[in-house]
Amino acid sequence: MLFERAAVIGTGMIGGSFALAAKRNELVRAVVGVARTQRTLSEARKLGVADETTSDAAKAVARADLVYLAAPVRSIRSLLRDIADAVPRGCIITDAGSAKREIVAAASDALPSHCAFIGGHPMAGSEEAGVAAARADLFEGCSYFLTPDAQTDPQALETLLELVRGLGAEPLVIDAQAHDEFLAATSHLPHVVAAALCATLAPLGDDLARFSGTGLRDTTRIALGPDEVWRDILLSNADNLCAALEDFRVRLDEFESALKAGDAERISTLLRLAREARGRVSGDSSIAGRRPDKNVGPPEHG
Amino acid sequence: MLFERAAVIGTGMIGGSFALAAKRNELVRAVVGVARTQRTLSEARKLGVADETTSDAAKAVARADLVYLAAPVRSIRSLLRDIADAVPRGCIITDAGSAKREIVAAASDALPSHCAFIGGHPMAGSEEAGVAAARADLFEGCSYFLTPDAQTDPQALETLLELVRGLGAEPLVIDAQAHDEFLAATSHLPHVVAAALCATLAPLGDDLARFSGTGLRDTTRIALGPDEVWRDILLSNADNLCAALEDFRVRLDEFESALKAGDAERISTLLRLAREARGRVSGDSSIAGRRPDKNVGPPEHG
């Protein structure tokens, strides 16, 4: 056991999956689940996600040695303020937010020095949401980012690395700024692109079904994700995301001008380069098979 | 048996799957497979896709009562000229091209009046290619467009509708122009968007793997499709595709301005509308479960 008592604040798909995985892998002895609605809390108890539940975050962290914040990014900022006075000495606090700079900054503002905060981001999940979608194996084989800074207690980092490995995930240590730049391109841009694609198709109405194949379904699936969660992610990383959008427009222009010119050779080249880049995206199965990462520092920018 | 002898020109994933399905469902007695390379031809024989093979399209159609053209869109245009003088009286000719106007026009220019051409497009397939990817059940539950025109022999259309239903697909009769407008939005635009997204990510190089989750993999999967096939599709429907790209840019602008303004409410609304539109895309399983379409005429534009 790494922790005796974990407060999981936000028992949705990610928080619920963390609780199930942490208990199954004997990383955490007991879980206190925190959610806004009684319905979610009773479902969390029924599914074995939480041993106890409460809607009071401060109460939940009072006797915890681990706090796992799995709420929408902007709710995490206010939750940090809510729990600040109640966090016990030596408690380790982490989160699962998909954009890290704002959260890391808010944590260092809000939290007392007698506890340790390290930002986290498991590259896991799907378009599903809610505790019913929680799975004990959700993190297996996925990249799991940790974003310590100069002030981070090395011992707390070692403990969290052990926790992440215990979940079956691949820990990657990176600074929050670099994380947000990479994720703007590999996650937040694709989400906006998929959503804009769906908006473009909206006028087709009910004809959409008969005119859609697997390609369209795959390309737009992430647009089924929960609005509140993605609104917060996109806003929290808006500067990097807008920069990525500019890059994307340039690539789109290349295709459009080749199409307007009827330049077959150019289009072949653009399609080939895109296909080769797609080949460098991790396999369509989990990346668990890959040589486990040696916890290197921030990857260089490409 | 609807046909005694089908010439399948282009024994790749689509042509090969048609041959397997047509024989398994006793729609076609014998298949002559046509491909450019001996390697493909011997593989087609080995996989039971073709009973006989040749690289000479004209020779293959000489005694056929059905010709199934499953080559890249622009190759189909030249193949129509290659087979024109050899097509027997009463032969029915169809194709599987994903853009229809050019092919329908080329067919009426090239083919003699003693045979019947009807354009076709099965909404089936994947990013895979080649005869090794052929599956007898590829068309089951998919939309299968047929694009007759005013000159089309009604009896030939009835026979092809029977053939399509026999494959387990859902026949939809639509004119070539309307087909190309719809597919520009639901298939050709998503392909360009996925490819442009991959091109945007290319500079990340080998870092791409560790920073990509299931969302990115799904959103970009179609960019793995064969260059030559997609080059021809995009070029053959460039006018409608460029119009769809304009619509897409407008939607992208809406997201970008809301992000730059930090307008949370607006972003929530845009994400919700996109999610609702995605909900009208046919289910992530096949659409076989849906009430079979009553072979209505062209769907209205949304």
Side-chain angles (χ1 to χ4, degrees), chain A residues 123 143 186 193 203 207 210-211 217-218 220 227 231 246 249 253 256 268 275 278 282-283 293 300 302, chain B residues 123 143 186 193 203 207 210-211 217 220 227 231 246 249 253 256 268 275 278 282-283 293 300 302:
Chain A
M123 286 283 283
S143 294
T186 62
V193 163
D207 286 328
R210 67 175 56 155
F211 287 95
R217 287 192 286 275
D218 287 352
T220 55
D227 305 343
R231 176 202 64 200
E246 286 317 309
R249 283 175 195 281
D253 293 342
E256 190 165 17
S268 291
R275 182 168 46 72
R278 178 53 173 79
S282 60
D293 192 280
E300 292 78 39
Chain B
M123 287 283 284
S143 294
T186 62
V193 162
D207 285 328
R210 67 175 55 153
F211 288 94
R217 287 193 285 276
T220 55
D227 305 343
R231 176 203 64 200
E246 286 317 310
R249 283 176 195 279
D253 293 342
E256 189 164 19
S268 292
R275 181 168 47 72
R278 177 52 173 79
S282 61
D293 191 281
E300 292 79 39

Side-chain angles (χ1 to χ4, degrees), chain B residues 56-132:
Chain B
D56 181 341
K59 189 157 147 269
V61 305
R63 292 184 297 117
D65 50 359
L66 173 69
V67 174
Y68 194 90
L69 296 155
V73 169
R74 298 218 153 166
S75 310
I76 289 176
R77 295 189 304 177
S78 48
L79 283 165
L80 285 163
R81 288 187 294 273
D82 298 344
I83 64 171
D85 297 338
V87 179
R89 181 167 303 280
C91 182
I92 295 179
I93 302 158
T94 187
D95 76 299
S98 300
K100 301 260 56 88
R101 282 170 303 164
E102 281 188 353
I103 290 171
V104 168
S108 73
D109 291 347
L111 296 176
S113 56
H114 67 246
C115 65
F117 178 87
I118 299 174
H121 174 210
M123 287 283 284
S126 70
E127 71 281 4
E128 292 179 279
V131 66

Side-chain angles (χ1 to χ4, degrees), chain A residues 60-141:
Chain A
V61 305
R63 293 183 296 118
D65 51 358
L66 174 67
V67 174
Y68 195 89
L69 296 155
V73 169
R74 300 218 151 167
S75 311
I76 289 175
R77 296 189 303 177
S78 48
L79 283 165
L80 285 163
R81 289 189 292 273
D82 298 343
I83 64 172
D85 297 338
V87 179
R89 180 167 304 280
C91 181
I92 295 179
I93 302 158
T94 187
D95 76 298
S98 300
K100 301 258 57 84
R101 283 170 303 165
E102 280 188 354
I103 290 170
V104 168
S108 74
D109 291 348
L111 296 175
S113 55
H114 66 246
C115 64
F117 177 87
I118 298 174
H121 174 211
M123 286 283 283
S126 70
E127 72 280 4
E128 292 178 279
V131 66
R135 289 169 26 205
D137 64 354
L138 187 71
F139 302 112
E140 281 175 21

